Amino acid sequence: MPTVTFYTHVADLETFACRLSKRAVEAGCRVLVWSRSEEQTAALDRLLWSFEPESFLPHEIWLPDTPCPPEPPVLLADGDELPAIAADWVVLNLSAELWSQAPQVPARILEIVGAGEPQLAAARQRFRAYRQSGCRLEYHKMQGKA
């Protein structure tokens, strides 16, 4: 079963997702950033070009009903149907989807959660569901940190 890490009380979800993506790629991982909407995916696409002026993180928007491209290291996607990806991928989940129910469960799932009560309540439900699925769980409160 995967390790699921919850980052809660995140002030800027998209910038935090960019930073986590960069760290995962630097560690040699491929990353899928799963957004809650096409608008958020587009915002992440724009931000990945500029969030750090001195670097660039190669990425692409992936339509899950198409074959998974072998490159770049970061893919951005959204939708209602979770795609089958390789088990060694890292998923940064910005949506309400439960990745333990994906066709191929990734080894690492990073749940990025805002500070609003609706987001936190939904995250608590996902936390319980991941626990019931047998996932290893970690939790980091980012209030005042990110």
Side-chain angles (χ1 to χ4, degrees):
M1 276 280 112
T3 298
V4 182
T5 304
F6 280 80
Y7 295 91
T8 65
H9 298 84
V10 175
D12 184 338
L13 298 175
E14 289 80 11
T15 300
F16 191 74
C18 289
R19 279 195 245 127
L20 280 181
S21 295
K22 182 179 181 214
R23 286 180 34 203
V25 168
E26 288 171 346
C29 299
R30 283 205 72 195
V31 178
L32 174 63
V33 182
W34 193 257
S35 301
R36 67 178 177 266
S37 66
E38 288 181 29
E39 294 79 22
Q40 188 177 43
T41 298
L44 283 161
D45 180 40
R46 287 188 302 275
L47 189 57
L48 280 168
W49 285 97
S50 62
F51 85 101
E52 286 189 347
E54 67 280 354
S55 67
F56 168 69
L57 191 56
H59 66 283
E60 176 178 319
I61 295 176
W62 173 41
L63 301 174
D65 58 344
T66 62
C68 182
E71 293 289 333
V74 177
L75 295 177
L76 308 174
D78 56 74
D80 296 327
E81 191 172 323
L82 301 178
I85 57 173
D88 61 345
W89 281 45
V90 173
V91 171
L92 276 69
N93 190 23
L94 296 166
S95 77
E97 300 302 324
L98 202 60
W99 275 87
S100 61
Q101 298 173 353
Q104 172 68 47
V105 180
R108 288 280 298 167
I109 302 165
L110 307 177
E111 290 276 340
I112 305 172
V113 183
E117 186 50 40
Q119 296 98 339
L120 293 168
R124 285 190 283 277
Q125 289 178 349
R126 288 194 310 278
F127 189 93
R128 282 190 291 275
Y130 282 126
R131 184 182 325 150
Q132 290 172 352
S133 296
C135 297
R136 180 173 174 261
L137 297 170
E138 300 173 342
Y139 167 76
H140 302 285
K141 187 174 181 180
M142 303 307 293
Q143 191 168 16
K145 299 176 189 174

